[in-house]
Structure formats: C-alpha cells, structure tokens
Amino acid sequence: MISLLRSEWYQIRKTLAVKIQFLVILVISVILGISETGASYSDRIKSAGYNYLLYGGGSLLSSMEDAGLVIILAGLLSCWIISSAFETRTIQEAICYGKSRTKVYMAKMAVYGIVSILICLVLWFAGSVPVWIKYGTGTQDVVGNLYNWKYIAGMVISGSIAYLSIFVICGVVAFLTQKTSVTMGICIIGIAFGFTIIVSILPDSLVKLITYTPIGLYHNVLKLDVSWSDIFKTGFISIIWIIVICMAGLWKFKKIELK
C-alpha cells in the first residue's frame, strides 16, 4: 500500500494539468484578494452591509461558500487523476501485475482526496490572506466567532471534511465510468449544478434534511456564529458519509469489468 501511495504521489507531481491548475488558482486568487482590499471595493461592501467581508475570517468564509467552484475543481481532478489512469491503462496494468483492486482503489482515492483539499485550501487562503494583512481578523461584533483563530481553524477543518464527502462522490464516479468525458459530465454538470437545482426546488420542510447529507453539510459550519457543536457534528457526519460512499464505490469497483 505504501508503494502504491508513493507511486500515486509521484504521478501527481508529474501531471502537468494539476500543476497548471494549482498555479492558475494561486495567481487568480491572490489577484482577487488584492482587489478586495481596494477602497472602491470596501465602500461597496460597507454600503451593502457586508462589513464582515473586509476581515480575514469573513473573507475566508465567503471563499469557502462557493461550493460550485470547488466541486468543479474536484471534478476536473477526478478526471485527471482517476479517469485518465483508466484510459492510459495504468490501473488495469497494476491489477494485472498482482495489485489488489482494494489497494489500487484506496491509494487513488486517498491521493485524489488530498490533492483536492490542498488545491481548495490554496483557493480559499490565497484570496483571503491579502484581506487579513490589511484589515486583520476583525472583532466579534462584526465577524462573530470568526474573530477567534480556534473557530476559524475548526471551520476550515470541518468544512474541508464536509466538502470531501462530496469529492469522494466524484472519485467513485470516475472509478465506475472509467471515461474522462463521462466523469467530467456527471461531476461538473450533474453534481455541481444538479445540487444547486435540487436545493432550489425542494420545499422548506425538506431543506433542513439536506444539511445532513453531503449536499449541504458544509452549510453547517460556513457561518459567522459557528459553534464547536457545529464543527464536531459536521465533521463526524461527514466522515461517516465518506466511509459509506468509499465502501460502496469499492464494492461496485470490485464487480465491474475493466475496459
């Protein structure tokens, strides 16, 4: 298993598409973060009543709320890391040479999950750091509990795990379709936009139930008044979903025919 993880990490370091995505996100996020420290932007935010966006914790919260973008990024990564490995027959050859499907699956999913979260962290922090540097963390009356570094850390960790529960769905889709184009279509169109449509058409009585599924778990911690109860509950439920989804994907992967 360790050798497989090393091999997967080596392949990631040599994947040009992942490097380009990382650099593009870093540069664009920094530029947007710097623009958010401008006087004109600050005036617009104050006039709109969203003063919390002028401080580090509030800016970070705003960045993490863009679920559609992070799901699109994770969908692309699932294509480049997992689906492309089927198309180049890397996975098929590993299994033919005696590697178990379970180890191949777990190694791919682990590296894919780690890379997805790392790129999301770059997206979130690169844009909020310039705001942090200029305006600081803020006060409790403006940014709520996000004036405290402990709550900020809790929000980021729990929010990342909540997003990971969605990312593993993209990973499972990649393993089952084995095609880059099909994976991209399902993940980017089906998941990113499908989730938004589902939430918008559901009646209010059912929206609350969504917050206990991967579709809406991240909402529980992405708020100014986030509490430790929100952080621990969201993290725990997300981990359960990750385990269930990954095990279901592994069970199905063991049964499908490799193309």
Side-chain angles (χ1 to χ4, degrees), residues 61-71 124 154-167 191-192 194-197 199 210-224 226 230-231 233-235 237-238 241:
L61 168 65
S62 178
S63 297
M64 293 183 69
E65 283 181 323
D66 192 350
L69 177 58
V70 297
I71 294 173
W124 298 332
M155 178 188 73
V156 172
I157 293 172
S158 187
S160 298
I161 299 173
Y163 273 125
L164 187 58
S165 68
I166 300 177
F167 297 167
I191 298 178
F195 282 2
T196 303
I197 295 173
V199 173
I210 295 297
T211 61
Y212 295 99
T213 69
I215 300 177
L217 273 169
Y218 61 93
H219 285 299
N220 295 327
V221 290
L222 300 186
K223 53 187 181 181
L224 297 175
V226 62
D230 297 324
I231 291 170
K233 182 172 68 175
T234 300
I237 297 174
S238 298
W241 274 112

Side-chain angles (χ1 to χ4, degrees), residues 85-150:
F86 280 103
E87 294 182 343
T88 58
R89 303 197 62 79
T90 304
I91 290 178
Q92 293 91 323
E93 290 177 3
I95 293 173
C96 287
Y97 281 112
K99 300 293 183 180
S100 72
R101 290 199 182 197
T102 299
K103 290 182 178 179
V104 170
Y105 176 89
M106 296 306 293
K108 276 287 183 187
M109 287 291 278
V111 172
Y112 158 69
I114 291 171
V115 173
S116 297
I117 292 299
L118 287 177
I119 288 183
C120 285
L121 290 174
V122 171
L123 171 68
W124 298 332
F125 279 96
S128 61
V129 165
V131 179
W132 237 309
I133 293 173
K134 184 168 183 177
Y135 296 108
T137 305
T139 57
Q140 188 170 16
D141 61 318
V142 177
V143 294
N145 287 336
L146 296 184
Y147 80 101
N148 189 315
W149 279 97
K150 293 180 180 179

Side-chain angles (χ1 to χ4, degrees), residues 20-30 73 119 122-123 126:
I20 292 175
Q21 185 184 50
F22 178 88
L23 290 175
V24 169
I25 289 172
L26 177 61
V27 172
I28 293 177
S29 296
V30 170
L73 294 177
I119 288 183
V122 171
L123 171 68

